[in-house]
Amino acid sequence: MKDFLGRLGIREMNSGACNGAWLDTKGEDLVSFCPADGQPIATVRQATEDDYEAVVRAAHEAFLEWRMLPAPKRGEIVRQMGLALREKKEDLGRLVSYEMGKILSEGLGEVQEAIDIADFAVGLSRQLYGLTMHSERPLHRMYEQWHPLGVVGIVSAFNFPVAVWAWNAMIAAVCGDTMIWKPSSQTPLCAIATQNVMNEVLDRNGFPGVMALVLGRGSTVGERMIQDRRIPLVSATGSCRMGRRIGEVVANRLGRTILELGGNNAILVDETADLDMALRAILFGAVGTAGQRCTSTRRIFVHRKVHAELVKKLVAAYGSVSIGDPLDPKTLMGPLVNEAAVETMEQAIAEAVREGGKVLAGGKRKKGPGFFVEPTLIEARPDMKIVREETFAPILYVFPYDDLDRAIAWHNGVDQGLSSAIFTRDLLHAETFLSHRGSDCGIANVNIGTSGAEIGGAFGGEKDTGGGREAGSDSWKAYMRRQTCTINWGKELPLAQGVKFDLE
Ligand code: NAD
C-alpha cells in the first residue's frame, strides 16, 4: 500500500460508519479503484440501515451537548480542524488525486479549500448576527436570533470528495449542528481519511460525535437518511436526477434542503476580449479536472470576428494537453472516474456528430489501463439536444455569435444555471452580462472562467442546479433556525395592528 494511505488511517479493509468510533459495520463490501490504472486500492464494509440507526442516534445525542457550547468555543475547535487539515494537506491531497483522478495540484487545492472554509467558519463563529427591529408597540423590543438546527445530512458527489463536505461541515459545526455524511461510493477512502483527521480533533476536545460518516448506496442508507424526520436539513451535491429525488422526498416531510446540482456552464468571448487570457480560462474550465467539475466550461459563444482565431488557438492547445498519471506533476489532465464515465462521453460525442456537430479536436479514449480520454472540442449549434445536457466529461461545444443579446439568450437557454462568464474589455458588454437581462446563473464572472470559485462567496446555482447556496456570504443561515422574539417591558398589553380585545 502507498505510505500516505497508512498515514491517513486507510487499511486493506475499512469500516463504513463512524459515530465517534468506527463501527463493526455489516453491509456489503465496496472496493475503491484507482481511475488511473483501474486497480483496487482498498475495501470498505458498507453500513447497513441498522448501522445508520446507531449513527443517527449518536449524532442526535451529540447535538444536545454541542448546541450548548458557545459558538466561539465551537469555532475554536473548528480552528483546530483547519490546523489538522494543514498538517495532512499533502497526504489528503494525494489521496484525492489517487482515488478520484484529478491532478495533484487540484487535489491539494481541494484540501486547501477545506482549510479556507475552516478559517472562514472560525471568524463566522463570532458573527452569527441577528437583526433588531423597531416594534410598533410602545415599550416593546423585537429582535431575531439564530439557533442550531439539529443533525444535518450531507450527501456529496465524487468529484469534490473532501471540499464539498467541508463547505457544509465547517459551517454547520460553528452553527451548533452535528452531521452525518453520506459520501459518494466512488470515493469512500477520501471520506474515511477526512473523518480520521476530524476524529482526532473532536476526541481531543471531548465531542467525538459531532461529525459522523455513513458509507453505503444512495438507494439504501441514502434513502434512509433523506426520509428521516430526525434530519431537519439535507444538503445534497450531485446530479439533477439525484436532486429531484432528494428534493421531493425531503419536501414531502417538510424538511429543508440545500441542493447543489449539475451545471451546463458557458463562457462568452466578445470581439474586444483578450484572447490569450480567454484561452487560458477556457482551457482550465473545460479540460481541468477532466471536465468533471460542476462548474466545468461546457459551451463557449465566440463573437464571429474572433471566432476563427480563438478556435485555432484552442485546437492547438487541446493537442498539447499532457494526459496521464494525476500524481505526476507534469500531467494537466487525469482520467475520468470510471468506465461508465468514458462510455457516457463516447455516447455524447456520437450523439453530437449525429446532430450535425463537427469534432475539431480530441474525440477518442486513450488506449491502456485506466479511464483516460482526449479532451474534445466540437463545433455545434445551440439548438442541438446534446449541448443542453451536462455530460460529465471534457467536451466543449463552440458556437459563433453576432449579437450579444442573442448569445445571452442561447447562454441562458439551458435547464441548468450554475456558473457563467464573459471575456470582454467593453464595460457595456460586461455590465449587460451581469445585469438582470444578462446571465441567469448563480455565478457570473467577468474575465475569469466558470470554474474555481473562492469560498468567501455563496456558491450555487439557479433553475435545475437546485437553488442552494453553500460556503461563504450568508449561506450559514440555512444551517440554523431563525427565531423572532418580541419582549414587552411595559405594564400594558397592546396588540399589534391596534386590535382591541378587552373584557368589558
Ligand atoms: P450522483 O448524483 O450520482 O451522486 C451524488 C451523491 O448522491 C452520491 O453520494 C450518491 O450516492 C447520492 N445519492 C444518489 N441517490 C440518492 C438518494 N436517493 N438518496 C440519497 N443519496 C443519493 O452525482 P456524482 O456522479 O457523484 O457527481 C456528479 C454530479 O454532481 C454532476 O452532475 C455535478 O455537476 C454535480 N455536482 C454539483 C456541484 C454543485 O455544487 N452544484 C458540485 C459537485 C458536483
Side-chain angles (χ1 to χ4, degrees):
M1 283 200 119
K2 303 234 172 197
D3 288 354
F4 62 87
L5 294 176
R7 289 197 295 273
L8 292 166
I10 306 292
R11 299 189 296 265
E12 301 271 339
M13 173 60 82
N14 302 272
S15 164
C18 178
N19 59 9
W22 290 102
L23 306 183
D24 180 17
T25 48
K26 301 278 188 282
E28 290 167 23
D29 286 356
L30 169 73
V31 180
S32 177
F33 292 91
C34 169
D37 58 16
Q39 293 303 306
I41 309 173
T43 304
V44 178
R45 183 145 302 143
Q46 297 183 92
T48 60
E49 295 198 21
D50 286 348
D51 297 322
Y52 169 82
E53 190 56 35
V55 169
V56 77
R57 284 210 186 125
H60 194 258
E61 268 171 38
F63 171 65
L64 300 181
E65 283 188 35
W66 184 242
R67 68 178 177 179
M68 298 312 293
L69 192 69
K73 298 265 188 287
R74 298 193 291 256
E76 163 53 22
I77 297 175
V78 170
R79 188 184 69 80
Q80 295 172 35
M81 291 174 178
L83 292 179
L85 285 166
R86 280 177 171 85
E87 275 171 30
K88 296 283 189 203
K89 179 174 169 182
E90 185 67 33
D91 284 342
L92 210 44
R94 223 161 249 285
L95 173 59
V96 169
S97 289
Y98 191 41
E99 190 181 34
M100 182 272 160
K102 61 177 71 173
I103 60 170
L104 182 57
S105 161
E106 291 187 66
L108 294 171
E110 166 145 12
V111 184
Q112 186 58 47
E113 211 169 327
I115 295 167
D116 292 345
I117 195 76
D119 288 358
F120 180 91
V122 177
L124 182 65
S125 70
R126 290 183 185 268
Q127 300 175 73
L128 300 169
Y129 300 138
L131 295 172
T132 64
M133 300 86 169
H134 286 266
S135 170
E136 66 187 51
R137 288 169 279 187
L139 309 185
H140 280 55
R141 182 165 75 80
M142 194 155 72
Y143 74 105
E144 62 185 22
Q145 56 180 346
W146 295 86
H147 291 306
L149 196 59
V151 183
V152 174
I154 303 171
V155 177
S156 61
F158 80 87
N159 64 329
F160 276 93
V162 176
V164 166
W165 169 81
W167 291 354
N168 286 282
M170 299 301 160
I171 303 291
V174 295
C175 289
D177 301 327
T178 58
M179 63 212 76
I180 302 178
W181 180 13
K182 199 221 82 62
S184 162
S185 303
Q186 296 293 330
T187 49
L189 305 180
C190 288
I192 291 171
T194 307
Q195 181 72 38
N196 279 333
V197 178
M198 296 301 118
N199 280 353
E200 213 178 300
V201 177
L202 288 166
D203 277 352
R204 190 167 69 221
N205 285 278
F207 289 97
V210 170
M211 292 168 171
L213 175 71
V214 174
L215 269 154
R217 292 215 186 111
S219 54
T220 56
V221 290
E223 280 288 324
R224 183 82 182 75
M225 176 197 269
I226 63 178
Q227 289 173 11
D228 191 340
R229 290 180 64 86
R230 293 166 293 184
I231 310 278
L233 168 68
V234 177
S235 177
T237 303
S239 57
C240 297
R241 201 174 112 221
M242 171 285 281
R244 255 186 213 103
R245 169 75 191 156
I246 293 186
E248 186 186 321
V249 171
V250 179
N252 195 38
R253 63 173 172 85
L254 302 181
R256 288 193 210 168
T257 49
I258 300 174
L259 297 177
E260 297 288 353
L261 312 176
N264 191 350
N265 318 292
I267 295 180
L268 271 64
V269 182
D270 82 359
E271 62 278 29
T272 70
D274 177 333
L275 288 192
D276 288 329
M277 200 195 229
L279 175 76
R280 284 175 54 208
I282 293 166
L283 211 56
F284 176 62
V287 174
T289 332
Q292 297 171 110
R293 285 192 187 212
C294 51
T295 51
S296 287
T297 309
R298 310 213 176 276
R299 301 173 295 146
I300 53 171
F301 299 90
V302 187
H303 193 277
R304 205 174 292 278
K305 280 192 187 150
V306 292
H307 178 263
E309 187 184 347
L310 185 62
V311 167
K312 196 168 153 217
K313 284 174 189 268
L314 273 169
V315 170
Y318 266 55
S320 59
V321 170
S322 49
I323 304 166
D325 178 3
L327 289 168
D328 180 341
K330 291 198 282 300
T331 302
L332 275 189
M333 196 182 102
L336 291 182
V337 69
N338 54 26
E339 180 61 32
V342 176
E343 284 166 16
T344 303
M345 177 170 176
E346 287 175 330
Q347 283 160 14
I349 294 170
E351 177 60 28
V353 170
R354 229 184 338 265
E355 286 191 74
K358 187 172 154 209
V359 176
L360 302 175
K364 295 193 202 68
R365 87 175 284 165
K366 305 274 277 183
K367 289 208 174 69
F371 310 115
F372 293 96
V373 293
E374 292 172 348
T376 299
L377 189 63
I378 298 182
E379 192 177 85
R381 291 185 325 275
D383 63 334
M384 281 164 50
K385 192 169 160 284
I386 191 71
V387 309
R388 301 164 54 82
E389 289 172 18
E390 179 198 49
T391 304
F392 220 52
I395 302 176
L396 179 66
Y397 300 106
V398 52
F399 321 92
Y401 79 86
D402 298 296
D403 171 67
L404 184 65
D405 287 333
R406 190 71 209 271
I408 291 175
W410 282 333
H411 169 279
N412 292 345
V414 293
D415 292 336
Q416 311 82 349
L418 181 52
S419 187
S420 60
I422 186 167
F423 276 77
T424 179
R425 283 183 286 206
D426 183 316
L427 178 69
L428 302 188
H429 289 177
E431 291 294 336
T432 301
F433 187 73
L434 298 177
S435 75
H436 50 267
R437 68 182 174 93
S439 162
D440 64 358
C441 292
I443 297 167
N445 297 332
V446 176
N447 294 331
I448 297 174
T450 56
S451 72
E454 299 177 22
I455 58 95
F459 182 91
E462 304 299 332
K463 305 192 290 187
D464 284 10
T465 302
R469 291 297 185 277
E470 284 173 354
S473 185
D474 65 351
S475 308
W476 61 271
K477 291 180 175 169
Y479 300 82
M480 302 197 83
R481 64 184 169 88
R482 184 197 311 239
Q483 189 168 61
T484 302
C485 309
T486 311
I487 299 159
N488 175 2
W489 54 281
K491 293 187 175 150
E492 306 296 326
L493 190 66
L495 300 179
Q497 296 89 42
V499 172
K500 297 283 175 221
F501 200 78
D502 294 327
L503 291 174
E504 284 300 307

